[in-house]
Amino acid sequence: MRVHLMVFFLISYTVNGQIEYSISEETERGVSVGNIAKDLGIDATTLSLRKFRMITSSSKQYFNLDVNTGALSVNEPIDREQVCELKTTCFLNYELVLESPLELYKMEFKILDINDNFPTFPLNEYHLNVAEFLSPGARFTLPNAQDFDEGTNSVQTYYLSPLEHFRLEMQTRGDGSKYPELVLEKPLDREQQSTHRLVITAKDGGNPERSGDAQVIVTVLDTNDNAPAFEHSLYRASILENSPNGTLVTKVHATDLDEGQNGEIRYSFSNSTSADLQRLFLIHPQTGEVKVNGILDVQRSVLEMFIEATDNGAFGMSSTAKLLVEVIDVNNNAPEVTITSLSSPIPEDAAPGTVIALLSVLDKDPGENGKVTCQIPANIPFQLKPSFDNYYSLVTVGLLDRELVNEYNITITATDLGSPPIVTQKTVLVQISDVNDNPPKFARQSCDISVTENNHPGASLLQVSASDLDISGNGQVSYALRDIDIAGSSLSSFLSLNSENGNIYAKSTFDYEQLRSFHFQVVAKDNGSPALSAALTVNIFIADQNDNAPVILYPGARNGSVAVEIVPRLADAGYLVTKVVADDADSGQNAWLSYHLQQSSDSSLFRVLPNTGELRTTRSMRSTDSIKHKVIILVKDNGEPSLSSTVALGILLADSLPQALPDFDDGMEGQEQLTSLNLYLIISLASISFVFLGFVLFLLLTRFFHCRTNLSRSGCCSGCCPVDEHDKYRFNVRMLPRSHFTPGMVEVSGVGKLTHTYLYRASVGVGPSNKNLLVNGDAGSLSNGAGLQVPTACVQVRKVKSDHFNAILVC
């Protein structure tokens, strides 16, 4: 018959994260137990988000939790006797775990007993041999009934029927336990009735009351009227849990006052001893020695057995003694470490005190052997903190740096307090996730790059590279140019940058003469949030190429004419004719100039100093030297390949300034050398001099009339015209600065001596002519920028004195 009981639920308390419920066993599935969220004060809507779950060591899930409402209900009926066996109180323990943040609660279910078990006897039928000569009052031990319920639901009373010759009495042993005894009420007469069938009934105190019975068959025997008697009604012994088979537990002893076979005693376990204990121990039938015959289990610290002593009489008589064996625990169970929750990976910027894991430690040994201490290595930024009961929290105690250590294999060592102690180790892998805490880093703060001018656009100049200790996007580096203004233009017009690999390319051709150096910054930025960056300063130096030929500054030619220098015939060797001044826009050795006499009408007369460019005479003038000379001076730089320029110079040998200059534009002339005339030639020339003078006079008259004709038409004759007040031209004089002269330029002595290292250049705008005219002017008026009236164009100033100047004019 199924008895339906009202389920009794009681929330006892919720203290320090612990809650207790009471529930009757065999409660039907689906019956509500309570609401955890309400009882713990937790918002029920957050249970699912916080991954709320129940953890238990039980193999069955007896309760069901609705994570949406927090309602707790029965998932499977609980059999208290199966779960807790013979324990007086029965509890089921659960752990409640919530994450974000990590929280732990302990929950206990007290399983209340109901009267769902009937009292049962080990056997359905018991046999007793009773001698007929026994007088009333003889006692016989009957077996105890077993009821797995507790308290009043267990066996309370025994009843016997019929009661004609026997009655039932309850006896108490030394440990307080009670057992039934069959007491002879009337003498037995075997001849009248040899067998008596009795029924013993055991009843519990539950509601409704439950009972169980067994048959007791009494056989009436003759003779042997003394039963064996034990020295002690209760024996106690202790034995180590790890005792091997054959270990002696104790030895019982009983005596029988009868003689012969009626006094010989045999020992055995009574039927009241459970079958598993009868297999676990052996008793010697003659000696009464009890020995180990199996593996002992400390879960049951005290084992209860009943030993029966029976004589060998024809009608054997027996008595029973109780044996209590205490199993002494030895440290044979290792601690068990269970990780109930683990947060991995954790960010490297996690604050100290962050809970990483929750773990429980259990040792099945009782007492000191079951007490456990836990520890982790001391050289890591983590700490193991006890939570409550056998729970520990793994928390951070220092700063983490993924770039130094990206993961930790934390070994948890659990050691019990047994002797010797047993150690269990469990390794927890905690990985460290990256945060963007490292900016990109260049190997150096600046770098210098040399680029040769005239480079090709698109040429790769250099590749910059920055490293970032972070990983993934936090360590992915991109590059950019920080735009600045260079020589009036944006940096982007000069350079381009590959943002992925850091290659820098030239977008234009560099010219050393226009831009010799510049600097800019390359910014390296990672892809983190927020992004971090670093800058590298790059100094670009343009290297010179020999791409500029020397430029002749002095002497200079105008309109294709040749500059002319006048050298006195009395000049000695080493006389300074002029100094060639040149400049090269290149730098370094590309601008190192050397001067060479490339061509000369008389190579023995002039020489050029290669370092200063000074043109000097190599010897004194001779009467046989030609009056005019033309030299070509080569100015060459020291580049590779070398570039050069030339300048042509006309040299006139004269002691005074001629009114007209010869033409030097018709190439090099042969030397006009006067040979020694024979005396007869002198006489011949003297005789024809008068004829020659007449011819010259004729030519002058012809030229005069021709000049007058041209003057009437063009204002000047084909020759040199006199200065006319109504036909004046203004020419301007420009002073060249000292920077156009080389440091080696010095004063030159001789006729036309240079007293100042100044060069004057004058010019007027008139048409070309093929004649030269020497004009004198006032130096003071030139230095003040005054103009002179001249009939023709002044090409170049050649000689300057302190009080006047000489200028060669080309008409």
Side-chain angles (χ1 to χ4, degrees), residues 173-443:
R173 296 188 177 92
D175 60 345
S177 61
K178 296 182 178 181
Y179 62 96
E181 276 190 350
L182 186 66
V183 179
L184 182 61
E185 186 77 13
K186 293 180 180 180
L188 300 176
D189 187 355
R190 180 180 176 277
E191 287 70 24
Q192 291 182 1
Q193 186 178 356
S194 61
T195 301
H196 298 266
R197 293 185 177 274
L198 307 175
V199 176
I200 183 172
T201 302
K203 293 184 179 181
D204 59 26
N207 186 15
E209 184 181 77
R210 295 179 182 270
S211 64
D213 53 29
Q215 279 195 349
V216 179
I217 301 175
V218 179
T219 302
V220 180
L221 303 175
D222 290 335
T223 66
N224 195 17
D225 55 353
N226 289 291
F230 284 96
E231 292 179 348
H232 307 284
S233 63
L234 177 65
Y235 288 87
R236 295 180 182 272
S238 60
I239 189 171
L240 295 177
E241 180 185 11
N242 60 349
S243 297
N245 290 348
T247 302
L248 178 64
V249 178
T250 189
K251 181 179 181 180
V252 298
H253 183 263
T255 58
D256 194 318
L257 297 178
D258 295 325
E259 294 181 352
Q261 290 184 348
N262 293 332
E264 295 178 359
I265 300 176
R266 290 178 289 107
Y267 300 97
S268 63
F269 289 112
S270 73
N271 294 328
S272 297
T273 303
S274 62
D276 58 337
L277 291 180
Q278 293 187 37
R279 291 189 296 268
L280 190 59
F281 295 92
L282 288 178
I283 186 170
H284 195 281
Q286 282 77 38
T287 63
E289 291 180 345
V290 180
K291 295 183 178 180
V292 176
N293 190 45
I295 299 176
L296 302 178
D297 187 2
V298 79
Q299 302 301 323
R300 300 164 61 182
S301 58
V302 178
L303 306 178
E304 183 181 69
M305 293 171 284
F306 299 93
I307 300 175
E308 188 176 68
T310 306
D311 59 26
N312 290 327
F315 307 99
M317 301 184 66
S318 64
S319 62
T320 304
K322 189 175 185 180
L323 173 61
L324 296 179
V325 178
E326 179 185 5
V327 180
I328 300 175
D329 178 55
V330 294
N331 194 25
N332 60 343
N333 288 290
E336 298 177 2
V337 179
T338 303
I339 306 299
T340 59
S341 180
L342 174 63
S343 299
S344 179
I346 60 172
E348 60 179 321
D349 60 350
T354 302
V355 178
I356 306 303
L358 185 68
L359 55 99
S360 64
V361 181
L362 177 64
D363 194 316
K364 294 181 180 180
D365 292 319
E368 293 295 315
N369 294 334
K371 295 181 179 180
V372 181
T373 60
C374 287
Q375 59 183 3
I376 60 175
N379 57 345
I380 58 176
F382 298 93
Q383 186 179 19
L384 203 60
K385 290 186 176 181
S387 181
F388 58 84
D389 289 347
N390 56 340
Y391 281 87
Y392 292 84
S393 298
L394 181 64
V395 300
T396 60
V397 294
L399 298 178
L400 305 177
D401 191 345
R402 189 207 61 81
E403 288 70 35
L404 295 178
V405 182
N406 60 1
E407 65 179 20
Y408 291 87
N409 281 309
I410 303 175
T411 301
I412 301 172
T413 303
T415 307
D416 61 25
L417 300 183
S419 180
I422 298 179
V423 177
T424 297
Q425 289 186 334
K426 190 174 186 67
T427 300
V428 177
L429 176 62
V430 178
Q431 295 179 325
I432 311 301
S433 60
D434 184 56
V435 297
N436 193 25
D437 58 347
N438 289 280
K441 185 177 182 181
F442 290 98

Side-chain angles (χ1 to χ4, degrees), residues 440-442 444-446 482 521-524 533-538:
K441 185 177 182 181
F442 290 98
R444 48 187 176 175
Q445 294 182 347
S446 64
R482 183 171 290 172
Q521 286 188 331
V522 179
V523 178
S533 62
L536 171 69
T537 300
V538 180

Side-chain angles (χ1 to χ4, degrees), residues 783-799:
S783 62
N784 295 328
L788 289 177
Q789 303 291 334
V790 294
T792 58
C794 179
V795 177
Q796 290 182 344
V797 177
R798 290 306 180 195
K799 300 296 181 180

